[in-house]
Amino acid sequence: MRTLTLYIAMSLDGYIARPDDDISWLEAVEKEGEDYGYSKFTAKVDTVILGRRTYEKVLSMGIGFPHANKECYIITRKPQAPIGKLKFYTGDLKVLIKDLKAQEGGTIFCDGGAQVASMLLHDRLVDEFIISVIPILLGDGIRLFKAGLPEQQLQLLNATNYDTGLVQLHYKRK
């Protein structure tokens, strides 16, 4: 069975963005030649799941969509025609993930945002977590982990410290 991995960055106090969706604070850990294992991770990925707001945020950055060569599902309430390998999915997320996990393939990557992650966590569909903790306290914003999620036991697979102060935690669900 395929693995669904939530690979995401958050502030030390648990936010993935400021209240206005600003993620410029991530620049604090940018370092020439350092991608914190992202390239190695995405080499195993053939399917990406992300929310519409996250998708639109990526597009607004003017860098092009980085997952255009992979099967992508943009989770949205508004039906839209596919664009290449991008599918705008309006159905039941739990059904989609169970179907994807039953198929042959590589890692399924949840690239955000908080609403999609919350739905996946609510249904216990996330198998692994790779969370990069950025050394900043935002104080307010969009929380990665929403209140009311069911308890889930995790096993630490790896913790990596970087000289920028970023700490990357890799867990799997027990």
Side-chain angles (χ1 to χ4, degrees), residues 22 24 29 32 34 42 50-52 61 89 95 99 109-111 121 124 127 131 149 151-152 158-159 166 168:
D22 176 31
S24 63
V29 294
E32 183 76 30
E34 180 61 75
T42 57
L50 68 158
R52 179 198 47 81
M61 297 168 75
Y89 186 79
V95 170
D99 287 348
F109 167 26
C110 177
D111 192 17
L121 290 167
R124 294 182 166 88
D127 302 300
I131 300 175
L149 293 174
E151 181 177 313
Q152 297 177 53
N158 191 34
L166 182 146
Q168 192 170 76

Side-chain angles (χ1 to χ4, degrees), residues 42-75:
T42 57
K44 301 178 209 170
V45 170
D46 65 2
T47 306
V48 180
I49 306 291
L50 68 158
R52 179 198 47 81
R53 283 178 53 195
T54 301
Y55 171 68
E56 289 176 357
K57 180 67 176 179
V58 171
L59 292 182
S60 77
M61 297 168 75
I63 58 173
F65 188 64
H67 309 301
N69 63 333
K70 301 178 186 303
E71 183 176 12
C72 292
Y73 293 88
I74 311 304
I75 309 307

Side-chain angles (χ1 to χ4, degrees), residues 38 41 45 53 58 77 88 96 99 106 131 147 160 165 167 170:
Y38 183 76
F41 169 73
V45 170
R53 283 178 53 195
V58 171
R77 290 183 187 95
F88 295 86
L96 172 65
D99 287 348
I131 300 175
T160 307
V167 176
H170 185 177

Side-chain angles (χ1 to χ4, degrees), residues 3 20 24 85 87 99 105 120 137 149-150 153 156 158 161:
T3 300
D20 60 356
S24 63
K85 292 185 173 191
K87 298 174 183 104
D99 287 348
L120 294 170
L137 298 170
L149 293 174
Q153 296 292 316
L156 180 66
N158 191 34
N161 303 335

Side-chain angles (χ1 to χ4, degrees), residues 63-173:
I63 58 173
F65 188 64
H67 309 301
N69 63 333
K70 301 178 186 303
E71 183 176 12
C72 292
Y73 293 88
I74 311 304
I75 309 307
T76 182
R77 290 183 187 95
K78 181 182 171 190
Q80 230 178 300
I83 301 171
K85 292 185 173 191
L86 293 174
K87 298 174 183 104
F88 295 86
Y89 186 79
T90 59
D92 185 328
L93 184 57
K94 185 176 185 177
V95 170
L96 172 65
I97 299 303
K98 287 187 176 198
D99 287 348
L100 290 172
K101 283 185 173 187
Q103 297 171 13
E104 291 289 321
T107 300
I108 304 164
F109 167 26
C110 177
D111 192 17
Q115 284 183 313
V116 171
S118 186
M119 289 187 287
L120 294 170
L121 290 167
H122 184 269
D123 290 326
R124 294 182 166 88
L125 295 170
V126 177
D127 302 300
E128 292 191 16
F129 302 78
I130 301 175
I131 300 175
S132 296
V133 180
I134 311 301
I136 188 171
L137 298 170
L138 293 178
D140 192 14
I142 300 169
R143 282 207 172 276
L144 175 56
F145 300 111
K146 306 281 186 198
L149 293 174
E151 181 177 313
Q152 297 177 53
Q153 296 292 316
L154 306 175
Q155 176 185 348
L156 180 66
L157 299 178
N158 191 34
T160 307
N161 303 335
Y162 293 89
D163 62 0
T164 58
L166 182 146
V167 176
Q168 192 170 76
L169 304 170
H170 185 177
Y171 292 97
K172 76 174 183 177
R173 194 163 43 91

